[in-house]
Amino acid sequence: MPCALWTAWVLGIVISLSKEGAPHQASSLSCDPAGVCDGRSRSLSSIPSGLTAAVKSLDLSNNRIAYVGSSDLRKCVNLRALRLGANSIHTVEEDSFSSLGSLEHLDLSYNHLSNLSSSWFKSLSTLKFLNLLGNPYKTLGEAPLFSHLPNLRILKIGNNDTFPEIQAKDFQGLTFLQELEIGASHLQRYAPKSLRSIQNISHLILHMRRPALLPKIFVDLLSSLEYLELRNTDFSTFNFSDVSINEHCTVMKKFTFRKAEITDASFTEIVKLLNYVSGALEVEFDDCTLNGRGDLSTSALDTIKSLGNVETLTVRRLHIPQFFLFYDLRSIYSLTGAVKRITIENSKVFLVPCSLSQHLKSLEYLDLSENLMSEEYLKNSACEHAWPFLHTLILRQNHLKSLEKTGEVLVTLKNLTNLDISKNNFDSMPETCQWPEKMKYLNLSSTRIHSLTHCLPQTLEVLDISNNNLNSFSLSLPQLKELYISRNKLKTLPDASFLPMLSVLRISRNTINTFSKEQLDSFQKLKTLEAGGNNFICSCSRGLCATTSTDCGT
Ligand SMILES: *[C@@H]1O[C@H](CO)[C@@H](O)[C@H](O)[C@H]1NC(C)=O
Ligand SMILES: *[C@@H]1O[C@H](CO)[C@@H](O)[C@H](O)[C@H]1NC(C)=O
Ligand SMILES: *[C@@H]1O[C@H](CO)[C@@H](O)[C@H](O)[C@H]1NC(C)=O
Ligand SMILES: *[C@@H]1O[C@H](CO)[C@@H](O)[C@H](O)[C@H]1NC(C)=O
Ligand SMILES: *[C@@H]1O[C@H](CO)[C@@H](O)[C@H](O)[C@H]1NC(C)=O
Ligand SMILES: *[C@@H]1O[C@H](CO)[C@@H](O)[C@H](O)[C@H]1NC(C)=O
């Protein structure tokens, strides 16, 4: 029987089992016995008729529905989720949702609604999620739209083109939101205190092309917002100078700038903004463009004493068009002393100047994954007195070539315990190496290594050497607790006497044919063994093979 026919047949049965009789347009929907109905992308031009109280969840996204009438959903008294996104809805009759007293999730995004009505929501006191993004309304209407929704936790409003105004009463009645997303790319007016009426917002996502109104909005959020995320903002003309702030106790913990355009001058303004936050702060720049040369005016920076309370700084995929004219940011070195964690990923970093490293006096964690670091430049970065408190260094997928030189260069980092140099091409391993004294974790996965030597630090507790070309493992590592050695060419298990402390062994996808119970038992502390993807003769080959399994070996 063709699949579609079969589905319709099952559906017919399911629906005729329900007490209230079968919907007429059953074939346009597929419902499961729990009342979850899927009618996505079926070119529907109206809400299917005959819906009953058996329907708990209704997904009609991506159709051509233009109109929601007052009787369309009247019998769906048990509906919890209604998804009507990406249709052509221009009109929703006033009492269309009046019988949906259990509704928790309502999605009306990407439709043609030009007027919003608070009467739609009158009966929806249990609503937790409401998405009104991408409709062409100009305001949120004349009466407070959400005042009947005390349980709302996630709210998405606005659009890219025609939403110029946030009015004083827009958020009345909302006290606590987990997530508020506002599409306000072309916002022109913001009534002071309108966002202040929400007492607690965990995460605000603002799509805002021009940041002219950002200072006013920011002031209103200082004591209620934990995490501010700005998307697609052009900071070229940003000026934070003339804002007066009296707030002392702020609750902001995190900022994200996503796809922002920043200049040298506006960077200083952003730092000023961060300075108003009183507690420890995490700042993230994702996919941003820096249209500058790092030529930061020292006079402006003089008024700023530090990077605020920034403890964690993350930069991913930073694009610097004038990369080759870039200054070394000397002017901000003195601001960095309190930063504890830095990630700069996939941003063409090839050098952290020695003097900057020395200023990073509190740095504990440095992640420079997917950059251009080589041993020569790393030597300058990890100079004497560089990063005195650094315990974790991640140089995954850079341009390192020699394990010997890498170890030698890092000996200055007395407190380094964790080093990830995976996805560099080392090929071979010298007989001996130097390493920082306290090394515990070393990640050498995907580094094309084909044999192991005494180059590995004896202090290691965790070694990841997976995805290499190893034929054997016969090396004594007295403190090793976790060994990741999947995707190599091992023919036998490592000898337990070399690894007396081992408790985790991941050795899947090698070429081991068999091992005996005695061999396994000799790993006295082993708790986790993963050995799938080998050509076992026994029945262990399908996945996890516990030490207690008697199916293995002998
Ligand atoms: C929206 O409201 C305005 C003014 O209140 C009215 O002129 C217009 O016809 C309404 N549009 C729709 C689609 O109801
Ligand atoms: C605004 O436009 C961007 C890019 O075209 C798109 O990704 C985003 O979903 C749009 N947002 C809204 C609220 O329409
Ligand atoms: C906001 O609510 C969250 C979750 O209930 C809570 O952890 C946080 O302390 C609240 N913040 C403020 C400022 O009241
Ligand atoms: C910001 O405005 C102040 C005066 O309000 C002015 O002195 C300063 O130069 C401006 N900064 C930028 C980056 O435009
Ligand atoms: C390593 O960290 C300790 C504190 O954990 C600190 O006292 C010591 O100075 C650091 N080592 C170096 C070389 O700075
Ligand atoms: C080692 O690094 C790889 C990425 O290169 C990562 O997927 C893996 O989880 C790391 N291993 C451990 C044990 O953390």
Side-chain angles (χ1 to χ4, degrees), residues 176 199-200 202 223-224 226 251:
F176 170 47
Q199 286 156 28
N200 185 338
S202 304
S223 58
S224 57
E226 284 172 25
V251 294

Side-chain angles (χ1 to χ4, degrees), residues 210-406:
R210 309 254 171 259
L213 292 168
L214 180 62
K216 279 188 186 154
I217 294 177
F218 179 75
V219 172
D220 276 357
L221 294 167
L222 270 171
S223 58
S224 57
L225 179 65
E226 284 172 25
Y227 174 16
L228 176 60
E229 176 175 342
L230 289 161
R231 295 199 188 158
N232 293 302
T233 309
D234 178 359
F235 280 96
S236 315
T237 56
F238 185 51
N239 195 333
F240 194 65
S241 299
D242 41 23
V243 178
S244 68
I245 291 179
N246 308 314
E247 223 77 44
H248 296 297
C249 184
T250 65
V251 294
M252 286 214 191
K253 293 194 173 80
K254 183 169 175 184
F255 270 90
T256 297
F257 300 87
R258 214 177 285 291
K259 296 193 178 156
E261 285 152 49
I262 298 165
T263 59
D264 290 342
S266 60
F267 178 77
T268 319
E269 299 297 308
I270 289 174
V271 174
K272 281 188 203 163
L273 180 139
L274 300 179
N275 263 269
Y276 280 96
V277 177
S278 57
L281 196 59
E282 177 177 353
V283 181
E284 200 172 65
F285 294 89
D286 272 358
D287 298 298
C288 292
T289 302
L290 181 54
N291 284 310
R293 306 184 196 174
D295 182 11
L296 304 175
S297 119
T298 23
S299 62
L301 283 164
D302 276 348
T303 61
I304 305 166
K305 281 166 221 75
S306 70
L307 282 177
N309 296 305
V310 177
E311 267 190 15
T312 304
L313 173 68
T314 302
V315 178
R316 294 192 194 90
R317 296 171 301 275
L318 180 68
H319 179 52
I320 305 176
Q322 298 186 330
F323 180 64
F324 294 104
L325 298 175
F326 211 69
Y327 285 50
D328 69 356
L329 294 176
R330 193 170 296 272
S331 47
I332 66 156
Y333 289 2
S334 59
L335 307 180
T336 58
V339 184
K340 287 189 178 154
R341 299 170 63 89
I342 295 183
T343 298
I344 300 183
E345 195 181 290
N346 200 343
S347 301
K348 299 202 171 85
V349 177
F350 61 92
L351 173 70
V352 180
C354 169
S355 154
L356 175 55
S357 300
Q358 291 170 337
H359 274 93
L360 290 165
K361 285 192 170 51
S362 310
L363 198 68
E364 294 170 1
Y365 177 100
L366 177 61
D367 181 350
L368 295 172
S369 294
E370 296 176 54
N371 283 298
L372 309 171
M373 298 293 288
S374 63
E375 289 84 356
E376 292 71 35
Y377 287 115
L378 184 60
K379 185 169 184 177
N380 191 296
S381 306
C383 58
E384 202 65 34
H385 306 302
W387 316 312
F389 284 94
L390 196 72
H391 59 62
T392 300
L393 177 61
I394 302 177
L395 292 166
R396 179 185 305 156
Q397 204 173 330
N398 273 271
H399 289 187
L400 301 175
K401 291 194 181 71
S402 158
L403 214 48
E404 187 176 16
K405 280 194 202 143
T406 301

Side-chain angles (χ1 to χ4, degrees), residues 347-518:
S347 301
K348 299 202 171 85
V349 177
F350 61 92
L351 173 70
V352 180
C354 169
S355 154
L356 175 55
S357 300
Q358 291 170 337
H359 274 93
L360 290 165
K361 285 192 170 51
S362 310
L363 198 68
E364 294 170 1
Y365 177 100
L366 177 61
D367 181 350
L368 295 172
S369 294
E370 296 176 54
N371 283 298
L372 309 171
M373 298 293 288
S374 63
E375 289 84 356
E376 292 71 35
Y377 287 115
L378 184 60
K379 185 169 184 177
N380 191 296
S381 306
C383 58
E384 202 65 34
H385 306 302
W387 316 312
F389 284 94
L390 196 72
H391 59 62
T392 300
L393 177 61
I394 302 177
L395 292 166
R396 179 185 305 156
Q397 204 173 330
N398 273 271
H399 289 187
L400 301 175
K401 291 194 181 71
S402 158
L403 214 48
E404 187 176 16
K405 280 194 202 143
T406 301
E408 193 182 305
V409 159
L410 298 179
V411 166
T412 47
L413 307 177
K414 301 278 188 290
N415 277 333
L416 195 75
T417 53
N418 295 20
L419 177 64
D420 181 346
I421 43 179
S422 60
K423 297 187 174 166
N424 287 280
N425 294 336
F426 294 118
D427 297 301
S428 65
M429 196 176 268
E431 274 311 312
T432 57
C433 298
Q434 285 176 280
W435 296 102
E437 283 159 25
K438 301 184 193 166
M439 287 273 289
K440 288 194 162 75
Y441 169 103
L442 180 61
N443 197 332
L444 283 170
S445 72
S446 312
T447 50
R448 302 193 187 177
I449 286 174
H450 44 75
S451 64
L452 298 178
T453 69
H454 292 100
C455 166
L456 292 179
Q458 288 283 298
T459 48
L460 286 186
E461 293 178 8
V462 179
L463 173 63
D464 188 337
I465 191 116
S466 51
N467 196 25
N468 282 296
N469 297 316
L470 300 177
N471 290 310
S472 65
F473 185 99
S474 50
L475 196 65
S476 171
L477 290 169
Q479 301 180 35
L480 201 70
K481 293 179 179 144
E482 299 180 20
L483 176 60
Y484 300 82
I485 196 165
S486 302
R487 288 180 289 154
N488 278 285
K489 297 172 181 162
L490 298 198
K491 294 187 181 64
T492 55
L493 285 186
D495 192 329
S497 61
F498 290 141
L499 305 168
M501 305 295 281
L502 202 67
S503 75
V504 174
L505 175 58
R506 298 198 191 273
I507 195 165
S508 53
R509 295 172 70 188
N510 278 279
T511 53
I512 302 172
N513 289 325
T514 181
F515 50 80
S516 66
K517 187 162 186 324
E518 287 72 41

Side-chain angles (χ1 to χ4, degrees), residues 84-103:
L84 291 167
N87 275 282
S88 316
I89 301 171
H90 53 74
T91 306
V92 176
E93 280 183 20
E94 298 277 285
D95 50 354
S96 299
F97 305 139
S98 61
S99 52
L100 310 183
S102 307
L103 200 67

